[in-house]
Amino acid sequence: MPLGDLSVRRPPAYPPVREHGRCFTPGAAALNGLLTVALLLGACGGETVVPEFTGPPNVDLALPWATASVAQAGGSTDMVEDGLEQARDNDRLLSMLVVKSGRLVVEEYFGNAQREDLHDVRSVTKSVVSTLTGLLIERGDIGSADEAIGGYLDTLAGDLEPAKAAITIEHLLTMSSGLEWDESGGFGDYTEWIRSDDRLRYVLGKPLVEEPGTQYNYNSGAVHVLGVVLEQAAGMRLPELADELLFSRIGISRSRWEPFPDGFHNGGAGLDLRPRDLARYGQLHLQRGASAGRPIVPEEWVARSLVEHYDWRFNVGRMTGISYGFLWWVVPLAPGPLYFAWGFGGQYVVVVPELYLVIVTTNNWRGVGGDAGRYERETMNVLVDYIIPAFR
């Protein structure tokens, strides 16, 4: 969802051990007290002490979902039913799933959608690419988020000018590459980029109009560049990389990535997943990167990704106070902090830590055109007005 150029408030670099000579504890603004991963650095000695997890059961995401009724999970059946009734007025809605305390309590499909369908979730892809970035940093394929992208792209874009080669992975994670780009309404440069013969060079050929790291500007092409960096660092294509490091470890056995003619895959908006598997991905983050107590994604990276990096806020329907982390949208306040992955036309993976709640929605975005924002707002309003309050 493009927001134009907005001032950036730079967070510390990962791993979060020290910034400008002082101790750093990632702000808990994007997390609540029950989820907070306040990485306490005793005496700035560099040793990370993570508080004991006091949240819901840390379910094994490789197993089938346990199920329960809304009432059994402590929710309001009437409010959920009212929300589903409201949701049915959305002729684009395909699915809505709710996981409460690790149990699937709502699973509704609309129109002709079915449980096993793969859904093209557009920019939810970006959040997955963020997760893969943390995994490659953990594995050592990438040194840190501060690394420049030029070293990973020299064989693909050897004529890359120095200022662009110096763009860092963090700049791509926070939509602050400085490259000229206009994705207003989900179109503009995105459409021209998809039509281009060389999609990597299309992005990197854009003028550098801001100093990297200083201005937010939504850029799907730049996140695709990050996906290419990951592929080059790991020596694997995105589908295989995601399967090996992430999906196979949390019970996701089916996925699809949009291939590009150059052999790369669309890292900005090209992933298809089943709704139940989107819920697994959300639950993984609710569980701070672990499955049945086994770390899948570094806990520090999960926390780092969900800290708001900007001072600005905006609204989507009745969801207010939204900012941005590492390719995740974060709501530091609201009634309670939450965060979500967001794809064009109303694809959402919403995590509400204080309620141990994960909500997934998918919509048919094809042909929606300029009405995409309306369906995004309608979908989000159902969650804000009915589904989330049903479990408070």
Side-chain angles (χ1 to χ4, degrees), residues 235-272:
M236 301 171 66
R237 294 304 189 197
L238 276 178
E240 291 75 27
L241 180 61
D243 286 343
E244 178 177 313
L245 294 187
L246 181 61
F247 293 164
S248 65
R249 303 173 70 191
I250 60 173
I252 299 178
S253 60
R254 292 182 59 214
S255 63
R256 181 170 57 217
W257 291 77
E258 179 185 3
F260 282 167
D262 58 9
F264 296 111
H265 293 76
N266 185 349
L271 179 61
D272 297 9

Side-chain angles (χ1 to χ4, degrees), residues 268-286:
L271 179 61
D272 297 9
L273 288 171
R274 294 173 293 188
R276 279 191 168 206
D277 291 336
L278 290 165
R280 293 180 188 279
Y281 179 65
Q283 186 72 21
L284 176 69
H285 284 75
L286 178 62

